[in-house]
Amino acid sequence: MRENAKYGVTGALAGAANGFFGAGGGLFLVPLLVYWCGLEERRAFATSVAVIFPLSALSAALYWMQGGLPLAAAWPYLLGGILGGWIAGRIFHRLDMIWLRRAFGVLLLYGGVRAVLLL
């Protein structure tokens, strides 16, 4: 498959996950960028963040236009997310990829178990 087509399919899967689940596109995006598109892992993590931001903004706008986004309830999470993103972005380049990979795996397992058990 041509490189541009791989990137397009990868982005479409991330966008669909983001739209359906309200987030989670990065869970698809990072492994696809690494194993299917051949990006180096650190670059894949950073690219995922850059791609997910506009996808999340689009999904949020669509939810808001349909009356399904309580902005007042979202503000505390947004502020916490900004702080967490800033801190993580500052230390990202210092972390060994093995620890990032492990943390990502734990996050995937946690999310999967929660989804299956509906906790």
Side-chain angles (χ1 to χ4, degrees):
M1 184 178 274
R2 294 185 54 197
E3 290 301 310
N4 288 341
K6 280 184 180 181
Y7 298 149
V9 169
T10 300
L13 290 171
N18 209 62
F20 281 132
F21 308 122
L27 297 177
F28 292 103
L29 200 55
V30 171
L32 286 171
L33 287 173
V34 171
Y35 299 112
W36 198 38
C37 297
L39 255 62
E40 183 264 327
E41 284 180 283
R42 193 171 299 277
R43 185 175 289 261
F45 278 104
T47 301
S48 173
V49 171
V51 170
I52 294 304
F53 174 71
L55 293 179
S56 294
L58 175 63
S59 294
L62 291 172
Y63 287 132
W64 179 74
M65 289 183 340
Q66 296 171 359
L69 178 63
L71 286 176
W75 280 109
Y77 300 105
L78 177 61
L79 296 176
I82 288 170
L83 178 62
W86 181 79
I87 292 169
R90 301 278 298 161
I91 64 173
F92 175 74
H93 67 282
R94 297 182 212 158
L95 294 175
D96 188 1
M97 281 309 302
I98 189 74
W99 291 107
L100 285 173
R101 216 176 297 126
R102 288 176 179 163
F104 187 67
V106 168
L107 179 66
L108 286 173
L109 287 172
Y110 173 75
V113 169
R114 292 234 357 164
V116 168
L117 298 178
L118 299 171
L119 296 175

